Amino acid sequence: MMFTFQRMTQNEAEEIAYSWKYDGIYSFYDMTEDEEDLLEFTDAHTRGEHVFSSYVNGELIGFLSLDVLVGMIDIGLGLKPDWTGKGKGREFLQSAISFIQSHYTFDALTLSVASFNQRAISLYSHVGFVLNGSFVQRTNGGEYEFTRMILPPQNGVIVTRDFDQSRLSEIQEVYHSVGWHKHSLEVIMEIYRKSNVFSMVYVNGRVRGMGRALSDGVFNAAIYDVVTHVDVQQQGLGARIMDDLLDQLAPVSCVHLVATTGNEGFYLKQGLSPLKTGMARYKNARLEKEYLIKEK
């Protein structure tokens, strides 16, 4: 199927805004549901130069809007209602990405999608986008949660702030590369499900490092599992993960961490200091011997 893109005309904008109506929960995407969005889309000046119509065999079937930022492009897109839910979204999205790549220079693509729209989130994940946090925005007469996603560059490094379940095998690969073989897929799902602060580093589009934390958001936080794949160590990626975690935990009064043996110097460089009164309990006898100071 051949998708073509051209700068949107006023007639096309009005056809999309006033004629495209979606069924059920997807009526959220009707342009007429939000007056501010409607005015922005139908006014040629506010719509700007980076909004495009998409055609297949002469039929207007979609649109693509771009917010061109420094090194990054934030995209918005939509399919004609009778084209949705029929397996055509993936090819449309891939064609849109190819169009952007041939006309713009950028390091990464980002987008935001209503969190209830799991169908779209699944599609974006299959094309290579990864989760990158969420936010609440007032629109359509209420407040709705949106999920941020980013398409990591195929050449380069990017850090995100979300656990992306679709990259589970890549995360396991990182753990196993450093000898943490007890981290099965099930174990990884469990420990990340019970964590609430995340940092993932992607190298050339693949997960190559991560860290996580548990925090009450006010008084205490504990950082765990800061690890990078053995193939990309000594490249400053661990420091980037720690910088990102500590930035997310900046409002928290006290941040704790247990360094693995031999890595104390790394965490000292990140601004952490040894505890005077730190205490712990280990069920594993080997770890107990390695980490605890037993009273005589």
Side-chain angles (χ1 to χ4, degrees):
M1 193 180 304
M2 178 67 71
F3 294 85
T4 62
F5 294 86
Q6 62 188 46
R7 187 162 296 162
M8 183 173 289
T9 67
Q10 185 62 27
N11 286 340
E12 291 167 341
E14 292 180 5
E15 178 182 342
I16 292 169
Y18 295 109
S19 301
W20 288 15
K21 301 296 181 182
Y22 298 89
D23 294 331
I25 61 172
Y26 300 107
S27 64
F28 176 86
Y29 292 102
D30 293 354
M31 290 287 181
T32 51
E33 287 294 298
D34 186 272
E35 184 176 352
E36 184 177 338
D37 290 344
L38 176 65
L39 291 174
E40 182 177 345
F41 194 81
T42 55
D43 183 272
H45 178 70
T46 57
R47 191 168 62 247
E49 301 179 343
H50 305 292
V51 180
F52 303 90
S53 304
S54 181
Y55 281 80
V56 171
N57 296 328
E59 179 186 359
L60 175 63
I61 59 85
F63 68 88
L64 170 68
S65 65
L66 308 177
D67 186 7
V68 182
L69 309 169
V70 177
M72 191 171 294
I73 297 177
D74 191 65
I75 71 174
L77 65 171
L79 267 178
K80 192 173 183 178
D82 57 9
W83 275 59
T84 62
K86 298 179 179 178
K88 299 176 180 179
R90 183 168 184 168
E91 191 173 354
F92 172 61
L93 176 58
Q94 290 172 326
S95 296
I97 293 171
S98 295
F99 171 79
I100 298 168
Q101 290 171 332
S102 64
H103 290 80
Y104 294 85
T105 300
F106 60 92
D107 295 323
L109 295 178
T110 63
L111 58 81
S112 298
V113 55
S115 296
F116 71 79
N117 191 353
Q118 291 299 309
R119 183 172 72 183
I121 292 172
S122 177
L123 166 65
Y124 300 142
S125 295
H126 279 104
V127 173
F129 282 83
V130 298
L131 302 177
N132 192 29
S134 63
F135 63 95
V136 174
Q137 178 174 307
R138 186 161 188 81
T139 185
N140 292 27
E143 291 188 344
Y144 297 87
E145 182 185 78
F146 286 80
T147 296
R148 292 190 182 95
M149 303 188 77
I150 187 167
L151 184 65
Q154 293 305 303
N155 295 291
V157 177
I158 197 165
V159 179
T160 70
R161 293 183 170 184
D162 215 328
F163 166 58
D164 194 324
Q165 186 176 337
S166 69
R167 300 301 183 106
L168 202 59
S169 61
E170 293 178 17
I171 295 170
Q172 184 186 48
E173 190 178 312
V174 175
Y175 281 125
H176 286 192
S177 79
V178 297
W180 294 12
H181 296 292
K182 291 185 178 180
H183 284 66
S184 65
L185 298 178
E186 294 76 17
V187 166
I188 295 169
M189 276 296 299
E190 182 69 6
I191 62 178
Y192 273 87
R193 185 178 66 83
K194 293 184 177 178
S195 303
N196 57 0
V197 180
F198 312 98
S199 184
M200 297 277 171
V201 62
Y202 292 80
V203 179
N204 300 335
R206 291 177 60 82
V207 177
R208 279 299 174 260
M210 57 270 178
R212 63 187 180 91
L214 283 75
S215 176
D216 60 21
V218 180
F219 296 112
N220 291 286
I223 293 175
Y224 299 97
D225 293 3
V226 176
V227 58
T228 57
H229 195 284
V230 67
D231 290 344
V232 295
Q233 291 181 355
Q234 306 302 317
Q235 296 182 25
L237 301 181
R240 291 185 65 167
I241 294 169
M242 279 299 298
D243 286 345
D244 185 55
L245 288 172
L246 291 172
D247 182 61
Q248 295 183 65
L249 297 171
V252 178
S253 177
C254 181
V255 177
H256 303 267
L257 178 147
V258 177
T260 48
T261 303
N263 289 319
E264 298 90 338
F266 167 76
Y267 293 108
L268 289 171
K269 291 178 181 178
Q270 308 311 310
L272 303 183
S273 300
L275 282 171
K276 293 180 179 180
T277 58
M279 297 185 184
R281 172 186 63 81
Y282 285 91
K283 289 186 174 181
N284 184 293
R286 181 184 63 80
L287 296 178
E288 179 182 66
K289 183 177 180 180
E290 181 177 356
Y291 288 106
L292 297 188
I293 301 171
K294 304 295 285 187
E295 292 187 3
K296 303 295 185 181

